[in-house]
Every structure is written in C-alpha cells, then in structure tokens.
Amino acid sequence: MKNLNEMTDETLAMLYVNGDNRAFDLLLSRNQSKLFSYILFMVHDRDVADDIFQETFVKVVVKLQQGKYLPSGKFGAWLMRIAHNVMMDWYRDQRTGKIVEAPKENDLSNVGGKDLLDSNIENEFVNMQVLADVKKMMNKLPPTQREVVFMRFYQDLSFKEIAETTGVSINTSLGRMRYAILNLRRMAREHQIHLQLA
C-alpha cells in the first residue's frame, strides 16, 4: 500500500469516502492554511473566518459521504467552491450594498482578460507597489468583487478558473473585475493614490 503522504488529494478524498479517516486528516492538514487564508482575506474577521472554515469542512464531509465529489476534478478547486458558497451565504445575510454592483444583464464578452495584467520584469516593482495599495482598499469592495481581485492578483488564477471556482460565467467574472477596478479607481481618486499597473 502506498504511503498516504505520497497520494494526491483526489485519491485521499476517495479513500476517506471508503472509510479511511486518516486520509481526511491529511486532506485537512494539506488544505487548511490556504483555505483559511482565503476565507480570512475575504471576511476580515478571525471569528467569522473560523465559523466559515468549520462550516465549509462540515459541508465537505457531508458531500463526500453523499458521493458528491468526483475524483476527475481537482479537490482543491472543489473545496474552494464550497468555501465560496458558504461565504456568499454569509454575505447575503450581511449585505449593505453601498458600492456599485454589476447589473444582472452584464455582458463583457468583448473584454480580454490577458490585457489586465501583462507585465515584464522591469515593471515588477511598480506592480508590487500598486498591488499593495490595492490590497489596502479591497476591504471596501463588495464580496464578489473582492473575491475576483483576490483570486486573480493574489492566487494568480485565470478568469476561467475564477468562473469555475465561483460557479459563474467567464463574462460575469470579467464584469466583477471591471466593477472592482472602477470602484478601486474611484477610491484611489478620493484618497489621491496613483493606481496604474506598468
């Protein structure tokens, strides 16, 4: 039998489904830091993040036991989708709606995602400073916009991966990014911060 530590998350998930609790313990230890960081970044409250993290793993256990995970997909992406859904439920309860949201019929099929963050080595320093400023202002963005900015700039996910993780279309992901950028630019103007990727 192969050592559990050498197995993929997908294999461990299936072992857990078949009754190996050690496999789940290893899955949890491999994924908890990245998942908790993502949740905490989104909600900005350690107690809330703890609650959402625990609720996420309760849902993971239930879904695994119900056979709702297929090993053909990446376990990490599946886990992030569940956390995303738990956070969106929490945000619906907390919603204040003070910043511009994208309209439901938002269609940005003519916007290219590649143009948003093409950079070269000589511009890296400028981009790092801009991203640090962006991070400071992200607390004020609506959750869906903050999430897409976090996934794109801090997790380096493509818009396709963001769409799959959050369960929306690529156009919706692009739209959320567009509205996030508009809101960040507005905040930058109000606070006289220069935001422009080199």
Side-chain angles (χ1 to χ4, degrees):
M1 179 80 183
K2 233 171 130 180
N3 182 334
L4 286 180
N5 290 319
E6 297 171 4
M7 294 182 183
T8 65
D9 286 355
E10 294 75 24
T11 303
L12 290 171
M14 297 318 293
L15 280 174
Y16 172 69
V17 168
N18 292 321
D20 189 338
N21 289 331
R22 294 175 310 137
F24 184 80
D25 293 342
L26 186 54
L27 271 176
L28 176 61
S29 69
R30 280 185 187 175
N31 291 283
Q32 66 185 5
S33 177
K34 181 178 178 183
L35 182 66
F36 186 79
S37 296
Y38 164 60
I39 294 169
L40 184 59
F41 185 84
M42 292 300 296
V43 300
H44 304 288
D45 182 304
R46 185 165 286 279
D47 292 335
V48 171
D50 282 335
D51 291 345
I52 290 173
F53 179 83
Q54 289 174 13
E55 185 175 343
T56 297
F57 267 95
V58 166
K59 287 186 184 261
V60 165
V61 168
V62 169
K63 288 178 183 293
L64 283 171
Q65 291 173 347
Q66 291 174 343
K68 292 187 177 178
Y69 171 73
L70 301 175
S72 57
K74 289 205 171 234
F75 180 81
W78 183 72
L79 181 64
M80 295 289 275
R81 265 193 307 277
I82 293 171
H84 164 81
N85 291 338
V86 172
M87 281 188 288
M88 291 304 105
D89 289 344
W90 180 81
Y91 274 118
R92 277 185 206 98
D93 293 340
Q94 307 297 316
R95 181 167 238 155
T96 57
K98 293 179 183 171
I99 294 189
V100 179
E101 288 278 1
K104 293 255 186 261
E105 64 277 6
N106 183 31
D107 180 14
L108 298 171
S109 55
N110 60 343
V111 176
K114 187 177 187 315
D115 298 333
L116 292 175
L117 189 63
D118 275 343
S119 62
N120 58 39
I121 299 296
E122 68 188 42
N123 295 326
E124 189 173 334
F125 178 75
V126 172
N127 291 345
M128 284 174 44
Q129 181 59 50
V130 169
L131 292 176
D133 291 338
V134 167
K135 192 173 181 180
K136 291 175 188 173
M137 293 186 295
M138 284 176 62
N139 288 347
K140 298 187 186 329
L141 290 174
T144 55
Q145 293 174 20
R146 185 168 57 238
E147 180 177 48
V148 75
V149 172
F150 179 79
M151 289 179 166
R152 180 70 183 112
F153 293 117
Y154 297 97
Q155 293 187 323
D156 201 27
L157 297 180
S158 70
F159 283 101
K160 181 180 180 194
E161 291 169 321
I162 292 168
E164 290 170 356
T165 300
T166 58
V168 298
S169 70
I170 291 176
N171 287 343
T172 300
S173 294
L174 289 167
R176 288 175 179 173
M177 177 62 82
R178 179 175 176 267
Y179 280 95
I181 290 170
L182 289 173
N183 283 321
L184 289 169
R185 284 182 180 157
R186 181 185 51 75
M187 286 185 258
R189 274 193 311 273
E190 289 172 1
H191 299 295
Q192 299 175 349
I193 298 171
H194 181 68
L195 283 182
Q196 185 173 341
L197 291 174

